[in-house]
Each structure stands twice: as structure tokens, then as C-alpha cells.
């Protein structure tokens, strides 16, 4: 998913600015580069995960009780690597054409199919963990297939044709300059989860399951805010390319206010109904207690998610790769991981959880400072 973000967010930024400048042929070449980049990178990553599967499981915190289950799941899921990348990439890229409904539909189809097939394969066919993995593979393949068919039917002004593929004319460099910083954020999110899980595993499987569910509770706010931020990136990028500075400022102001209100509402709902949400995942009383306490800690700063992701995507839309890189490696890496170990030493298990709110506040302040610097520089050149 993180590597899919390289092509998805990087491609979206470059394509939206190219469309704003009227460079439609260049936008086609960028889109084709993203498609075939996903295919190549997906195949390499799938092979790498199969080769290094044991070290990966060890780093992820798999215990003796969960090792074979995790290995069975991962061995099957890695075969959908290229499709995961394509799905993550083009759910972003297609929005540059204003086709937000189609972008959403591909994601919905894949995820809903996964949800429907899970009980059928796991319980109906008795395939257990393998059934869950197979459902995931089918969902990703179908989701990616939806986006591929969109292009094959000729409904797009962009291209995924191999003849349009190129790495020249700064196509690859432009995509990677924005995509890699964005991907590092997603990659570090995975790495930080692995580190958190490995540290939390020291307090037992119940605590480990609790933090996993708590993260899912905050994702209900986080994912919506990520989607909102990604949604405005195309608009802001087009404004940058067309030099519509007044519209850029108007869209950004509205997005900041709307995202903050949305974050407050979603956080409030998750906090009020945290017990019911946790119960949907867990039945064990001990695990439920861990998950509920951890959820309430993580929700303390989720009211700022919207503002953070709007500022981050604004920087990506502006082509401010260096600033985006700093922010992305900070929230889930440079700030979060050291704070996590520090707070664990001071207050123990709950310190692992409080590290995320501390990183959230620090990263938001950093994002604001870097955006102000980048915007002053951009508007000064007008």
C-alpha cells in the first residue's frame, strides 16, 4: 500500500498540475508510468516478501501461537501485490479527472467483496485463516480490475497503454519526488505498528490484541480525514498549475475549517460509542478493557487529523517534496518511535500508547510551520 502511494499520490500531484498547465500528453505519460511502475514494483515486492517471510513475521510480533496462522495468511496475500498497488494508485489518479465517484467505486467494490466473501470462505467452506486471505486477494484483484477496465473502455483522458510508458522528460523524477515522501508516511505507519506490536507483545497477547483494536477505532476518523486531504489535492494541484492563487487560498481555507469540524464530530462519535465499537471486535473481558483504555488515549488528538492531512496534501499539491518528506517521516518515525521508547521507560505500557498523541501534536505544529514557509515562497514568485 505504501509503494502504491508512491505512484498514486506522486502521480496525482504531477497530473493535476500538468492538467492545470494544459499539458494533456504529459499527463498521459505520467499515468502510464504509474500503471507499469505498479506492476513491476508489485511483482518485486511479492517475491521479496515470500523470500523473507520468516524475518517479516518475526518483526511483526508473531508469537508461537499465531505464527502458522500469520504465515498462512501472508503466503496467500502476497500474490495480489501488483493489484494492491494498482488499486491504491488509481483510486487517487482517477480523481484528477473529476471522477471521484468512479475512484470511490473501485475501492468500495474490492472492500465490500472482501467483506462478503470472508464469512463464506472462513465459516461456510471451513477454510479458516486461508479463507480470509483468499477473500482479500479476490477483493484486491477485482478492485484493480475495475480501474483497468475504466481505461480499456476509453472513458479516460489519461492512459495506461505500454506505448505511453516513459521515464524521460522528468516523468519518473517528478512522480517520485512527491510520491516517495508520501509513501514514507504510509511505510513508517506500517513500521511503527510493527514496532508498537513487538513492544506491546511483551505485556501479553491480550494487550497486543487491545492495541490492534484501538488503532482500528481511531482509523474511523483517520481514514476519513486522509480521504478528505487526498480529495483536495487534485483541486489545489490544478490551481497551482493554472496559477489560480485566489481559488487556491479559498479552497484551502474552506478545507481547513471543514476538516476540523468533521474531525471533531467523528472523534466525538468514536469516543461516545468506543465501548460498542470495541465489542464488535472483541469478546474477552481482559482484552476489551485494554482496547477501551487504549482507544480513549488515541482519540485525544484525533480531532486534529483533518487539519494535519489538509496541510500535508496542500504541500504535496504545491510540489513541496522536501517539506512533505519531513512531515511524513516525523509523525510515524522520527518523532513517534523515539517518543514511544522514552514514554515506555517512564510510564510503562500506557507510554507506548501515549506516544501517538504526542507525535500527532508535534507533527501538526511542524506541518503548519512548513506550510507557511512553502506558501510564502510560492506566492512570492507570483
Amino acid at each position: 500500500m505504501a509503494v502504491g502511494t508512491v505512484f498514486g499520490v506522486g502521480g496525482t500531484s504531477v497530473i493535476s498540475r500538468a492538467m492545470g498547465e494544459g499539458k494533456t500528453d504529459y499527463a498521459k505519460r505520467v499515468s502510464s508510468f504509474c500503471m507499469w511502475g505498479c506492476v513491476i514494483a508489485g511483482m518485486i515486492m511479492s517475491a521479496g516478501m515470500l523470500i523473507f517471510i520468516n524475518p517479516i513475521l518475526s518483526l511483526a510480533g508473531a508469537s508461537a501461537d499465531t505464527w502458522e496462522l500469520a504465515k498462512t495468511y501472508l503466503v496467500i496475500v502476497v500474490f495480489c501485490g501488483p493489484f494492491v498497488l494498482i488499486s491504491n494508485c488509481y483510486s487517487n489518479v482517477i480523481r484528477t479527472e473529476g471522477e471521484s465517484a468512479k475512484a470511490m467505486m473501485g475501492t468500495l467494490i474490492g472492500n465490500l467483496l472482501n467483506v462478503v466473501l470472508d464469512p463464506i470462505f472462513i465459516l461456510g467452506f471451513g477454510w479458516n485463516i486461508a479463507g480470509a486471505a483468499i477473500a482479500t486477494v479476490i477483493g484486491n484483484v477485482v478492485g484493480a480490475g475495475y480501474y483497468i477496465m475504466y481505461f480499456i473502455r476509453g472513458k479516460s483522458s489519461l492512459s495506461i497503454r505500454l506505448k505511453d510508458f516513459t521515464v524521460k522528460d522528468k516523468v519518473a523524477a517528478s512522480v517520485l519526488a512527491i510520491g516517495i515522501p508520501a509513501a514514507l508516511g504510509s511505510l513508517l505507519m506500517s513500521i511503527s505498528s510493527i514496532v508498537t506490536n513487538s513492544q506491546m507483545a511483551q505485556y501479553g497477547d491480550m494487550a497486543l490484541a487491545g492495541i490492534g483494536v484501538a488503532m482500528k477505532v481511531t482509523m474511523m476518523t483517520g481514514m476519513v480525514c486522509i480521504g478528505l486531504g487526498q480529495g483536495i489535492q487534485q483541486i489545489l494541484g490544478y490551481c497551482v498549475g493554472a496559477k489560480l492563487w485566489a481559488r487556491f487560498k479559498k479552497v484551502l481555507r474552506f478545507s481547513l475549517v471543514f476538516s476540523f469540524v468533521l474531525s471533531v464530530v467523528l472523534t466525538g462519535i468514536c469516543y461516545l460509542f468506543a465501548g460498542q465499537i470495541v465489542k464488535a471486535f472483541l469478546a474477552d473481558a481482559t482484552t476489551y478493557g485494554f482496547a477501551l483504555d487504549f482507544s480513549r488515549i488515541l482519540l485525544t488528538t484525533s480531532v486534529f487529523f483533518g487539519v494535519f492531512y489538509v496541510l500535508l496534501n496542500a504541500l504535496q499539491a504545491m510540489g513541496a517534496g522536501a517539506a512533505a518528506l519531513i512531515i511524513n517521516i516525523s509523525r510515524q518515525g522520527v518523532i513517534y518511535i523515539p517518543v514511544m521508547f522514552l514514554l515506555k521507560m517512564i510510564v510503562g505500557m500506557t507510554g507506548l500508547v501515549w506516544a501517538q498523541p504526542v507525535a500527532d501534536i508535534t507533527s501538526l505544529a511542524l506541518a503548519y510551520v512548513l506550510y507557511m514557509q512553502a506558501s510564502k515562497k510560492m506566492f512570492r514568485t507570483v
Side-chain angles (χ1 to χ4, degrees), residues 72-145:
T72 298
Y73 185 87
L74 188 56
V75 165
I76 297 171
V77 167
V78 293
F79 285 101
C80 65
F83 300 101
V84 172
L85 267 68
I86 291 170
S87 185
N88 276 273
C89 173
Y90 284 92
S91 63
N92 286 287
V93 169
I94 288 176
R95 286 199 299 268
T96 60
E97 300 183 281
E99 296 287 358
S100 56
K102 288 185 172 62
M104 178 181 66
M105 190 58 65
T107 302
L108 281 177
I109 290 173
N111 286 321
L112 287 176
L113 185 59
N114 190 354
V115 170
V116 171
L117 292 178
D118 267 335
I120 296 173
F121 290 168
I122 297 170
L123 304 175
F125 292 175
W127 292 349
N128 300 317
I129 197 72
I134 294 169
T136 299
V137 171
I138 293 174
N140 279 293
V141 170
V142 172

Side-chain angles (χ1 to χ4, degrees), residues 309-321:
Y309 286 112
V310 166
L311 290 174
L312 174 59
N313 281 275
L315 286 167
Q316 291 170 346
M318 295 158 64

Side-chain angles (χ1 to χ4, degrees), residues 163-179:
K163 70 175 186 178
D164 291 320
F165 173 83
T166 183
V167 297
K168 299 177 181 178
D169 299 324
K170 295 185 178 180
V171 168
S174 298
V175 171
L176 297 178
I178 298 297

